[in-house]
Amino acid sequence: MEYPFLHTGAEPVIIQSVETSCGCTVARWPTHPILPGIQEKITIHYTGEVPGVFHKRVFIRTSEQKLITLTIRGNILE
């Protein structure tokens, strides 16, 4: 799952950390400074194998000291 975003601030921003709510959720994000007006994306991959509904969160902290929460939900079918 990809989460595209557009940096609308006036100064470059850095994603300092990304934490997932469990080991079955993997995130990839840009590690370079993101310039104003540039679109980037955060990619999240859920690796769970147990059938059923899942609900996971990803916590992103930026150099602006903002905490952003992304949520992924889905259903693994047998």
Side-chain angles (χ1 to χ4, degrees), residues 6-8 17 39 50 55:
L6 175 66
H7 176 36
T8 59
S17 66
Q39 183 170 336
V50 177
H55 177 181

Side-chain angles (χ1 to χ4, degrees), residues 3-7 11-20 27-35 38-44 58-70:
Y3 287 86
F5 64 91
L6 175 66
H7 176 36
E11 299 293 325
V13 68
I14 297 172
I15 297 175
Q16 293 183 321
S17 66
V18 176
E19 296 179 22
T20 60
R28 285 181 288 172
W29 63 94
T31 57
H32 57 273
I34 303 163
L35 301 176
I38 298 297
Q39 183 170 336
E40 286 284 357
K41 67 182 175 183
I42 295 174
T43 303
I44 301 170
V58 178
F59 306 97
I60 302 160
R61 185 159 310 272
T62 70
S63 57
E64 298 171 329
Q65 297 304 308
K66 291 185 179 179
L67 180 62
I68 300 158
T69 303
L70 299 179

